[in-house]
C-alpha cells in the first residue's frame, strides 16, 4: 500500500461525497426535518454507507474471481462488442435526462425530490439512491478498480473501503453538526445549495451516464478497430 494509492482513494472519495445521493438528498433532509427527526438523516446516511460498502466488497471479491477464472473471455472480441453496445446505450440514455433536450421536446425537466416518512422510508430512500447512482459513480468504480489492480489483501482493502464510504458521508455529517449549533446562519445557505443541486440533479445524472458511456465505447473501440 503506497502513499499515492491512499491519496488517489482519498481524492476519489471526496468527489463521491458531492453526489446527489451523498450530499443533495441529505441537504434536503436537513432543511425539512425537525430536530427531533435528526435520527432519520442518520439512518439514511448509514444505509447509504452500508450499501456502498457491501457493493464494494461484492465488486472486490467478484472482480478478482472473474478476472482469475474468465480473464480470457473478458478480453475477447465478443466481450468488447458487448461493452461497446453497453457504452452506446448508456450514452443514448443520458439524453433522456438532459434538461436542454427535454425542453426542446416540450417535456418537463426531471427533478429528484425525495419523499419523507418514517425510518423504514429512510432505509428505502438510501437503498434506492445507492441503486440509482452506483452504476454512474465513476470515482467509486475507479476506486474499486484501483484497489483490485493493486492486489491488496483483504486485511488492507476492507478498512480502506470502510474509510472510503465514511469520507463519502462526512460532509453531510459535518453539516448536521453545524445545523445543531448554527441553524439560523446555516439554513439559508443550505436552501440555496438545495435549490441548485435539485435544479442540476438531472443534468448531473445525464453527464455521468454520458461519461461512463464514452469511456466504455472508447476502450472497446480501441480494441475492436485500432488493434
Amino acid at each position: 500500500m503506497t502513499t499515492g494509492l491512499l491519496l488517489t482513494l482519498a481524492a476519489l472519495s471526496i468527489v463521491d461525497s458531492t453526489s446527489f445521493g451523498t450530499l443533495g438528498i441529505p441537504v434536503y433532509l436537513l432543511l425539512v426535518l425537525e430536530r427531533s427527526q435528526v435520527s432519520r438523516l442518520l439512518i439514511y446516511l448509514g444505509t447509504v454507507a452500508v450499501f456502498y460498502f457491501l457493493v464494494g466488497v461484492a465488486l472486490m471479491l467478484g472482480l478478482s474471481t472473474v478476472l482469475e477464472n474468465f480473464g480470457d473471455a473478458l478480453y475477447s472480441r465478443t466481450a468488447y462488442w458487448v461493452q461497446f453496445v453497453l457504452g452506446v446505450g448508456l450514452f443514448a440514455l443520458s439524453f433522456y435526462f438532459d434538461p436542454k433536450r427535454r425542453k426542446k421536446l416540450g417535456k418537463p425537466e426531471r427533478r429528484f425530490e425525495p419523499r419523507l416518512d418514517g425510518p423504514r422510508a429512510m432505509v428505502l430512500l438510501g437503498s434506492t439512491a445507492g441503486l440509482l447512482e452506483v452504476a454512474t459513480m465513476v470515482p467509486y468504480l475507479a476506486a474499486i478498480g484501483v484497489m483490485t489492480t493493486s492486489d491488496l489483501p483483504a486485511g488492507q482493502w476492507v478498512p480502506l473501503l470502510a474509510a472510503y464510504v465514511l469520507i463519502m458521508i462526512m460532509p453531510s455529517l459535518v453539516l448536521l453538526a453545524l445545523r445543531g449549533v448554527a441553524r439560523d446562519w446555516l439554513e439559508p445557505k443550505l436552501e440555496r445549495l438545495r435549490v441548485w443541486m435539485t435544479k442540476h440533479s438531472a443534468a448531473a445524472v445525464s453527464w455521468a451516464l454520458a461519461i461512463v458511456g464514452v469511456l466504455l465505447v472508447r476502450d472497446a473501440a480501441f480494441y475492436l478497430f485500432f488493434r
Side-chain angles (χ1 to χ4, degrees):
M1 189 188 307
T2 64
T3 302
L5 172 64
L6 295 176
L7 291 176
T8 299
L9 293 176
L12 291 171
S13 63
I14 291 172
V15 174
D16 265 342
S17 71
T18 62
S19 75
F20 189 73
T22 55
L23 187 60
I25 292 177
V27 166
Y28 178 83
L29 295 176
L30 278 172
L31 287 167
V32 300
L33 293 176
E34 299 297 331
R35 289 180 183 270
S36 60
Q37 299 175 315
V38 165
S39 60
R40 294 186 184 182
L41 175 57
L42 295 177
I43 292 172
Y44 170 82
L45 291 174
T47 301
V48 170
V50 170
F51 177 88
Y52 276 108
F53 179 77
L54 294 178
V55 168
V57 170
L59 287 173
M60 288 294 295
L61 296 176
L63 281 177
S64 60
T65 301
V66 168
L67 290 174
E68 181 179 345
N69 297 322
F70 304 101
D72 293 338
L74 290 175
Y75 294 105
S76 65
R77 289 187 65 83
T78 301
Y80 276 108
W81 273 114
V82 171
Q83 177 181 325
F84 185 87
V85 172
L86 178 61
V88 172
L90 288 176
F91 185 79
L93 182 61
S94 70
F95 289 96
Y96 175 74
F97 294 95
D98 183 17
K100 293 182 180 179
R101 182 176 180 276
R102 293 183 68 87
K103 184 177 181 180
K104 289 180 180 179
L105 296 176
K107 296 181 179 181
E109 181 181 344
R110 296 186 64 85
R111 296 290 180 90
F112 300 92
E113 292 276 0
R115 294 183 178 181
L116 304 178
D117 208 331
R120 290 183 180 180
M122 293 297 99
V123 172
L124 179 60
L125 178 61
S127 302
T128 303
L131 285 171
L132 291 175
E133 287 198 328
V134 69
T136 59
M137 292 187 75
V138 179
Y140 185 71
L141 298 178
I144 298 298
V146 168
M147 287 189 286
T148 300
T149 55
S150 297
D151 294 325
L152 298 176
Q156 292 184 356
W157 65 256
V158 168
L160 278 179
L161 192 59
Y164 189 100
V165 298
L166 180 60
I167 293 175
M168 283 177 59
I169 65 172
M170 189 59 67
S172 294
L173 292 175
V174 171
L175 289 176
L176 177 60
L178 287 175
R179 180 179 182 265
V181 298
R183 181 171 183 169
D184 293 339
W185 172 82
L186 184 63
E187 285 197 346
K189 296 173 176 58
L190 287 177
E191 176 61 22
R192 289 195 293 270
L193 179 60
R194 183 194 69 80
V195 170
W196 185 89
M197 294 195 73
T198 301
K199 181 179 179 181
H200 294 87
S201 58
V205 172
S206 176
W207 273 102
L209 289 170
I211 291 171
V212 173
V214 168
L215 292 175
L216 290 175
V217 168
R218 185 189 65 174
D219 181 63
F222 176 79
Y223 179 87
L224 293 170
F225 307 122
F226 301 104
R227 287 188 61 180

